[in-house]
Amino acid sequence: MAKFNGDHIKLAIQKDGRLTEDTRALLRTVGLHFESYKQRLFSICRNFPLDILYVRDDDIPEYVAEGVVDLGIVGQNLVVESGTKVTELLPLNYGHCSLMVAVPAESGIENIQQLEGLKIATSYPLTTTKYFAEHKVNVNVITISGSVEITPALGVSSAIVDLVSTGSSLKLNDLVPIATVLDSQSSLIANPTSIENVYKKAIIDRLMTRFRGVLAAADYKYVMMNIPRSALEYVSTTTPGLKSPTVLPTADAEWMVVHTAIREDMFWDVIEKLKEHGAQGILVSSIEKMFV
Ligand code: ATP
Ligand code: MG
């Protein structure tokens, strides 16, 4: 059997679940080469000093806290629930969901104060208990490991605290959300001792620079377009790109080519304005990685 490489740092990721595909994709996008197939317990990167351990997501905060691995990629919801001492290094902008309080639609319950004295089923007992205590509502928290959303229909609970992304699972079970306990996304976490080790810290920093390059790129679109010379000043001020747009001449003295980056959140507004100013042949592409 292959062994962990002693010079490598170790990263735990979810073996098989909602975060697995995006996590593997992220690791490959940042240039890591590793074998991965379902039965594997771990992979050794061929071109970076990193070993990847595949585990159940619930175990990741504990493994990181105990130093079994140096790093983990896991939902913030589990970091909070575990109560472990790990250092959050970088939210990764996928696996978005919220831990919510939900009640049967026909219950007529509209706020958490109305849950006083009632049973709440959840797979997040610590987070749930803390939340209700902070809001000074006395509830009876019942820990259920899976399919929490069916417990009200079974008469096990009056309300649930569960993860919601689109809300379709709640709808399917005639439940409505009444409060948000926390918002979560996938995140890179570290063992506090590992990031104080100079050798490990250097490797972790290299990895984070790569991750940041991928995250930053998702916020921008790369745009190429033809603009009339008269629009140049307008274009330079509205689409500064990262520093200043690249402007190139064309065979026609009245037209220029502009290359720039536009922020995703203002993309459509900017495109509409550019068209009003005579821009033509606007080509847009995604950026895979970006370092500013
Ligand atoms: P494992 O077998 O590894 O223990 P699991 O069944 O406990 O997996 P998944 O359902 O794969 O966990 O969810 C993994 C993580 O995905 C969650 O902890 C959460 O951070 C995130 N997530 C995003 N959207 C949702 C959702 N709608 N429901 C549950 N988890 C979600
Ligand atoms: Mg789990």
Side-chain angles (χ1 to χ4, degrees), residues 2 20 40 53 60 75 81 84 102 192 200 204 209 278 286:
T20 306
R40 268 203 120 96
L53 186 70
I60 294 177
E81 178 66 19
T84 48
K200 289 181 175 180
I204 294 168
T209 300
S286 304

Side-chain angles (χ1 to χ4, degrees), residues 64-67 69-70 85-87 189-197:
V64 172
E66 293 298 318
V69 292
D70 304 292
K85 284 223 166 8
V86 299
T87 305
I189 57 171
N191 174 280
T193 314
S194 297
I195 48 177
E196 277 166 18
N197 175 309

Side-chain angles (χ1 to χ4, degrees), residues 25-249:
L26 174 66
L27 298 178
R28 294 201 191 278
T29 306
V30 300
L32 304 183
H33 292 176
F34 57 95
E35 307 283 347
S36 61
Y37 48 87
K38 281 269 160 72
Q39 290 75 23
R40 268 203 120 96
L41 296 178
F42 69 93
S43 301
I44 296 172
C45 284
R46 287 195 295 277
N47 60 347
F48 196 84
L50 179 79
D51 293 344
I52 302 164
L53 186 70
Y54 305 105
V55 296
R56 292 219 33 203
D57 67 346
D58 314 62
D59 297 332
I60 294 177
E62 198 69 34
Y63 280 176
V64 172
E66 293 298 318
V68 176
V69 292
D70 304 292
L71 298 173
I73 293 179
V74 69
Q76 292 164 330
N77 51 304
L78 285 178
V79 178
V80 173
E81 178 66 19
S82 71
T84 48
K85 284 223 166 8
V86 299
T87 305
E88 181 170 11
L89 295 179
L90 188 65
L92 297 172
N93 203 22
Y94 61 89
H96 288 277
C97 56
S98 300
L99 190 63
M100 300 190 91
V101 185
V103 296
E106 77 282 355
S107 69
I109 295 173
E110 289 173 348
N111 59 57
I112 60 164
Q113 281 69 33
Q114 292 171 278
L115 296 173
E116 178 76 30
L118 299 180
K119 288 180 184 163
I120 317 287
T122 186
S123 306
Y124 292 83
L126 296 183
T127 313
T128 300
T129 302
K130 191 157 167 257
Y131 173 80
F132 282 100
E134 275 167 7
H135 288 80
K136 303 199 169 28
V137 180
N138 286 308
V139 292
N140 182 1
V141 175
I142 300 170
T143 307
I144 304 282
S145 62
S147 302
V148 171
E149 66 279 6
I150 63 164
T151 58
L154 296 176
V156 174
S157 69
S158 301
I160 65 166
V161 169
D162 204 7
L163 291 176
V164 178
S165 48
T166 60
S168 59
S169 172
L170 290 185
K171 274 215 188 77
L172 208 63
N173 291 284
D174 281 325
L175 298 170
V176 288
I178 57 166
T180 301
V181 176
L182 59 83
D183 292 316
S184 175
Q185 58 180 293
S186 179
S187 190
L188 178 70
I189 57 171
N191 174 280
T193 314
S194 297
I195 48 177
E196 277 166 18
N197 175 309
V198 177
Y199 174 78
K200 289 181 175 180
K201 172 83 166 43
I203 300 171
I204 294 168
D205 283 345
R206 285 175 64 202
L207 196 60
M208 283 177 60
T209 300
R210 296 185 186 198
F211 284 166
R212 286 203 183 94
V214 174
L215 293 170
D219 291 338
Y220 283 86
K221 291 281 183 218
Y222 187 72
V223 179
M224 251 184 301
M225 64 196 145
N226 293 301
I227 59 159
R229 185 173 285 280
S230 60
L232 183 58
E233 200 190 321
Y234 174 79
V235 171
S236 305
T237 50
T238 39
T239 66
L242 302 177
K243 288 229 158 43
S244 164
T246 307
V247 181
L248 304 166

